[in-house]
Amino acid sequence: MRQAQLILAVAIVLVAEPSIGLEHAGPDARARVEQVFNLADADGSGALSSKEFEEANLGLYGVSFKTFDANDDGRTTLAEYLALFERHHPSEHQPEL
């Protein structure tokens, strides 16, 4: 059930806000991204381990755990998760680098 919730939550985020950045998408988009993260964070540590990432099937969306783990410490924080989402869904008002 938890896995289905995660897949649905990620799909909603990607369908609802595919081309705008979180800062322009409003609080609902950020809340949905945070919800996905919190659902995947099974132990409630505030960071995703590679095991939690795999168990949540977050790799289904084409981004590996190593990509989320920006500082290569073996875990992904909410800040890293949000930063990667923003890079993959840049604001229409900001040029892509």
Side-chain angles (χ1 to χ4, degrees):
M1 179 64 153
R2 178 183 167 86
Q3 195 172 66
Q5 288 174 320
L6 274 165
I7 292 170
L8 178 60
V10 171
I12 289 169
V13 169
L14 295 178
V15 169
E17 311 297 345
S19 64
I20 59 176
L22 288 176
E23 73 278 7
H24 298 289
D28 290 344
R30 183 182 182 97
R32 287 191 300 265
V33 172
E34 288 182 20
Q35 178 186 21
V36 169
F37 181 89
N38 290 328
L39 284 169
D41 183 16
D43 67 4
S45 68
L48 301 181
S49 66
S50 61
K51 181 180 178 184
E52 288 170 321
F53 184 88
E54 290 171 18
E55 288 177 354
N57 281 330
L58 294 177
L60 287 175
Y61 304 99
V63 182
S64 71
F65 177 79
K66 289 188 83 55
T67 302
F68 275 100
D69 184 13
N71 64 359
D72 201 30
D73 66 353
R75 58 191 210 119
T76 297
T77 63
L78 179 58
E80 288 172 316
Y81 191 80
L82 290 169
L84 184 68
F85 184 87
E86 181 60 34
R87 283 196 306 273
H88 281 267
H89 301 277
S91 169
E92 294 175 335
H93 306 291
Q94 296 176 353
E96 290 190 47
L97 300 176

